Amino acid sequence: MQNVLIVGAGEGGSVLLNLLLHHESMNVIAIVDTNNEAPGIQRAQELGVPYGPDWRPFLSDRVHIIFDVTGDELVFPQLIEARQDHSVVIPRSVVNLLVQLLEKNNTYIKRIRGEMHKQQMVFDSIEEGMIGINRNGQIDFINKSASKMTGIRIEDAVGRPINEVIPMSNLLAVYESGKAEMNRELVLGNGLKIVTSRYPLFNNTGDKVGAFAVFKDISEVVALAEEVTGLNEMKTMLEAIIHSSDDAISVVDEHGNGILINPAYTRITGLTEEEIIGKPASEDIIEGESIHMKVLQTKKPIRGVSMRIGENSRDVIVNVAPIIVDQEVKGSVGVIHDITEMRSLMNELAEARTIIRKLEETYTFDDIYGSSHELEISVEQAKLAARSSLPVLLRGEVGTGKELFAHAIHSGSERKSNKIVRVNCSAIHSSRLEAEIFGQEELSGLGKWEVTEGLIGDAENGTLFLDEVAELPLLIQQKLATFVTKGAVMRKGGTEPVQYDVRIITASSRNLEKAMQQGEFLEELYYPLNRIAIHVPPLRSRKSDIPEITGRILEKLNRELGMNVGEITEEAMKHLQQHDWPGNVRELENVLSRAMIYMEPGGSVLELENVVKSLSSRENKEVETSLLDTNTLASIMEDYEKTILDTALKENGGNKSLTANRLGISLRSLYYKLEKYDLI
């Protein structure tokens, strides 16, 4: 659990507070603002979170993370100076990005959890017991029927190893073997006899992610088949039991002709008593042979047979046992488990788990858009670089996409199955750089040596991407040069070099040759890094790529902003191509995002006036500076939120319940927002 201090309680601080309060690994110890009327302070009062006008009283050694959302440039260095060594201060620019990511992640997780809740309701309505485990053998799913059969509460089972909850379970072995076990008998610790089928679970890439068991209480049915001594008496008892069962049950005589079925049998097969009673046991089979007839011939039970039966061709698992009276077979009884819907639900559960785990993607060469000659040369060089493990130096202006090239080179290399670790050399405080990159060895309070792997260690067998490498202090440059040439590093505080297999990709927007002349960049680092140099061209030199890049950016912004902008007018596109784009692709994306915000609600075509308005604000230095300010960014987001709320309310005819459901928020939150924006 990370203890968090929020400095600044404006709109940004308020949003951050709400997000962190719902984050399981974050504990907000206080929120601070000199304005007692700030929204974050009012929210803290509602929730009982400590607050105050000064951050200094709260800055103890308990604090792990400090978020600076004040917008005051003087506060950040003060926090850096006053913090404890183990405390991290997050500047407002990073907080803005973090808030956006957390909001998107929370929305996404809520939606997934909602779908998982619906699936849980479906599972809980099924009579069969169901238990699922993860790859560590811990129970991560159990439905109400399983809880009832095992006598173990759901909250006491989830998270515990399966062998602790059900010691006789073979579910972990099924996961390890990757092979299903069909209809195995098992006696639970409470004496309940069940028949269970166990399945390994795989994700969409074929990797094992867990195992799943489906089981049914067969105590009464098995006892009936094994202990009843007369066929007539057995039939009377069967009729009382099987008509109340949700499992399909059929009984045949010694000749294999049907003598009894239950309503569940008719529901699953679509066949009535008139079509089954007195008819051969093969009457209901679409594929396969009659298990009833095989049991009558062998006088032995047969379990776990997959078949398709009835007019609806349902996928079922069949268990059949002989009825023996005075050493003679007088018939057989079959229990049919319909697994058509069950398999579908298990597949949906596996897909949902895969979606939750897939929280980030890497980029490939297909994500580099444009067909200009300049870009094609750079891409071809990058593809050649991907075939080797030599160091790569990416050169180009800020915003040209050097990080995208780094990801693409990694994805196209033999190291793609391992991590790519990105380091912004200008964002880490110089006092921590050595330990962060190369690792650290130090004595703990107990007198033991503790080793911390650095980012190079994290990237073992993968790629380390050092962005803005020219910003590294000379001492760090010297150690990096040693690693690039020898493949070994000396951890901070260490005494012996450590070998790592890591591919190095660096990037810089500075003139490294000039930096060497000024003594700011080491010559012994420059040449090893420059083994493969790739120039990423600026956008102004490849304006023919702007239409394609714009189309891709609009697709991305549509997903992020919940809009449906399908095209841009020819006049607007020409206007974009006339601009020189000093901020390159990054600036183009910023301009397009603002232009979309300026559009009329529900619009699908980006007009010239939207682009002109956005570019004008971009070229205005005062507005450009203010866009970096948390309050101005918050006001832009508020304007957009107000537009979304107003549009949704109108589309639902003013019905607030429908509007809240459509937006995925509570009715109480909707009323709060409507009142906030004077939309009531």
Side-chain angles (χ1 to χ4, degrees), residues 484-499:
V484 174
T485 55
K486 298 182 179 180
V489 297
M490 186 77 73
R491 298 192 185 104
K492 184 179 181 180
T495 57
E496 295 292 334
V498 183
Q499 292 284 142

Side-chain angles (χ1 to χ4, degrees), residues 291-422:
I291 306 302
H292 276 300
M293 299 306 297
K294 293 184 70 173
V295 168
L296 293 175
Q297 293 168 4
T298 62
K299 301 180 182 181
K300 294 180 181 180
I302 298 177
R303 308 186 187 281
V305 179
S306 298
M307 300 182 65
R308 298 179 68 192
I309 64 172
E311 296 177 344
N312 298 324
S313 298
R314 306 286 288 187
D315 291 320
V316 298
I317 296 294
V318 179
N319 299 320
V320 181
I323 302 170
I324 300 176
V325 181
D326 296 332
Q327 307 300 317
E328 292 183 9
V329 176
K330 295 297 183 180
S332 62
V333 56
V335 180
I336 302 172
H337 300 278
D338 185 359
I339 62 172
T340 304
E341 295 180 356
M342 191 181 306
R343 281 178 175 168
S344 176
L345 290 171
M346 286 191 295
N347 290 335
E348 290 180 11
L349 179 63
E351 290 174 3
R353 286 173 173 164
T354 300
I355 291 172
I356 292 174
R357 291 185 177 94
K358 190 178 181 183
L359 298 178
E360 62 180 6
E361 298 178 348
T362 188
Y363 299 106
T364 68
F365 285 109
D366 292 336
D367 296 303
I368 300 176
Y369 306 124
S371 56
S372 63
H373 179 66
E374 294 85 348
L375 184 67
E376 287 182 347
I377 291 175
S378 300
V379 171
E380 287 304 315
Q381 289 177 328
K383 288 181 178 179
L384 289 174
R387 300 174 189 171
S388 73
S389 288
L390 293 175
V392 177
L393 175 60
L394 299 169
R395 309 189 67 164
E397 298 175 5
V398 174
T400 52
K402 296 187 292 297
E403 182 175 354
L404 180 59
F405 268 77
H407 275 267
I409 292 171
H410 173 77
S411 299
S413 72
E414 295 180 350
R415 299 172 181 264
K416 62 184 178 182
S417 59
N418 298 303
K419 289 196 299 185
I420 176 172
V421 178
R422 177 186 180 272

